[in-house]
Amino acid sequence: MRDTPINHPQPRLRGLDTMMLIRAYEERLALMQQNNGVPGTCTSVGQEACAVGVLGALDSRDRIITNHRSAAHLLARGADPGRLMAEVLGRVDGYCGGHSGSLHVSARELGVVLTSTIVGGGLSLAPGVALAQKMGQGEEGGVVVVFFGDGAACEGILHESLNLAVQWQLPLLFVCENNQWQAYVHRLETMADDAIYRWACGHGLDTQRIDGNDSDLVLEAARQAVGAIRADGRPRFLELLTYRQRGHLEPDDLAYVDQVERQRWLKRDPIALMQARLKAEGLLQDKELRTIEEQIHRQTDTAQAFAEASPWPDPQKLLQHVYAG
């Protein structure tokens, strides 16, 4: 189902491997959607350093709530790309038996509580999950991380969630992936102040704004935030400045995108930045990079073959795990 990944002893090289796997997985899905008409997904191409940096600071005690751009978070958490792709294709070997598609994946074994396609939906549930952790429903010292974008930051639920987290002193890390786009609308069209972390400051918690395309910086900031939460049980807030390189929903022709801005951000591609840095430090050679690329290509081939070979769900089980009030 999944090739054995290259297990670098150097954590930053493992992080690069994961970023490259995320990119290859999402680009393969986008190609499949373009050519084969498989269900569309919202990719996080260009945002890989955010996922790898934050998830690299967590351990098995921790819980994750994510959004419609969830593949990077899931893969960085250790999800199998074959099972993940099978879920997108609606097949029984997916993480939710093909019921969720790409937009509602949960994986208890990975600590992934929820993927919500509702903008800000994860923010509405995160305080409850963190309260359960605080009340002893999870392992001692466990932290809850909720990922959301700049679009969700414009929702009132952000302030409600922040208020509860501070008032109840919850072990909750808010991670805003500010990728410059809110579906098909640029964030500058909706925000008078683009510094989202300042909005959180008013609620009385520690906040930080980080270059989200630098996985080293993200990892260090996340480690500090998670360590502080474990120590005092108080929430923290990280705003990660990044860029969504592809459109809102695949396939997308990017006709609405300012190409000058896009090209400027492409020059700061997080994977290219990390590759260049590791080469400059003598930790990565061109030959080794080609080996990684070849193995990731095989992993992606294997994932696609597994997903496409997985059976369709039994129609008689269509209403399992579906609830009505």
Side-chain angles (χ1 to χ4, degrees):
M1 187 162 41
R2 178 178 184 178
D3 288 349
T4 302
I6 299 171
N7 188 19
H8 286 294
Q10 223 289 344
R12 293 164 72 218
L13 285 170
R14 292 200 302 272
L16 174 63
D17 293 348
T18 304
M19 285 197 289
M20 292 171 65
L21 174 61
I22 293 166
R23 177 75 57 91
Y25 170 89
E26 293 201 308
E27 289 184 339
R28 178 65 62 87
L29 261 184
L31 183 63
M32 291 167 64
Q33 287 147 5
Q34 179 180 342
N35 295 338
N36 304 329
V38 302
T41 60
C42 298
T43 68
S44 56
V45 173
Q47 302 174 212
E48 296 88 355
C50 299
V52 171
V54 173
L55 271 296
L58 305 183
D59 62 34
S60 61
R61 294 174 288 178
D62 304 318
R63 299 294 177 262
I64 300 155
I65 298 173
T66 179
N67 60 7
H68 51 287
R69 303 190 192 281
S70 63
H73 308 138
L74 288 157
L75 290 170
R77 186 61 168 174
D80 184 289
R83 290 188 65 193
L84 195 55
M85 193 175 289
E87 188 59 43
V88 175
L89 270 57
R91 308 301 179 89
V92 296
D93 292 310
Y95 275 98
C96 299
H99 283 264
S100 77
S102 67
L103 297 176
H104 297 282
V105 180
S106 64
R108 184 174 184 177
E109 63 267 42
L110 300 174
V112 179
V113 178
L114 171 74
T115 297
S116 176
T117 187
I118 299 171
V119 176
L123 287 166
S124 68
L125 296 174
V129 178
L131 180 61
Q133 287 282 80
K134 182 175 181 177
M135 295 175 68
Q137 299 302 307
E139 294 183 53
E140 184 177 354
V143 169
V144 176
V145 178
V146 57
F147 290 94
F148 59 100
D150 46 294
C154 289
E155 300 278 338
I157 191 62
L158 171 66
H159 298 281
E160 296 176 38
S161 184
L162 286 167
N163 183 61
L164 281 176
V166 172
Q167 290 300 110
W168 292 351
Q169 296 297 284
L170 299 177
L172 180 53
L173 175 60
F174 294 87
V175 179
C176 177
E177 296 175 302
N178 185 347
N179 68 7
Q180 318 303 309
W181 285 97
Q182 302 174 9
Y184 303 99
V185 178
H186 196 281
R187 63 174 175 79
L188 294 180
E189 297 180 55
T190 67
M191 297 178 175
D193 183 352
D194 72 336
I196 296 166
Y197 77 101
R198 283 201 288 262
W199 301 357
C201 280
H203 290 276
L205 74 168
D206 291 339
T207 66
Q208 195 172 4
R209 195 182 210 192
I210 300 296
D211 178 358
N213 281 16
D214 187 324
S215 60
D216 285 339
L217 290 180
V218 175
L219 176 60
E220 180 58 28
R223 281 176 172 165
Q224 291 179 8
V226 169
I229 294 170
R230 295 201 205 283
D232 63 19
R234 298 168 60 90
R236 301 298 193 278
F237 187 103
L238 294 179
E239 179 183 1
L240 309 179
L241 288 177
T242 185
Y243 190 78
R244 191 190 77 197
Q245 293 184 9
R246 299 185 69 95
H248 170 58
L249 177 68
E250 297 292 343
D252 190 323
D253 62 8
L254 299 174
Y256 53 91
V257 173
D258 180 343
Q259 290 301 319
V260 174
E261 179 187 68
R262 183 169 181 269
Q263 290 302 316
R264 185 169 64 248
W265 276 97
L266 288 177
K267 292 178 181 177
R268 298 204 64 259
D269 181 275
I271 295 176
L273 287 175
M274 181 53 77
Q275 289 174 350
R277 180 176 298 165
L278 293 173
K279 286 181 180 180
E281 295 176 7
L283 295 174
L284 180 67
Q285 306 298 324
D286 287 336
K287 182 178 180 181
E288 184 179 17
L289 180 57
R290 287 193 296 271
T291 299
I292 296 171
E293 290 171 341
E294 290 168 0
Q295 178 161 355
I296 287 174
H297 183 78
R298 290 195 300 272
Q299 279 185 270
T300 310
D301 284 346
T302 300
Q304 181 177 349
F306 174 81
E308 292 178 338
S310 179
W312 295 100
D314 182 348
Q316 298 301 316
K317 298 181 178 179
L318 184 65
L319 296 182
Q320 282 189 349
H321 312 299
V322 177
Y323 302 89

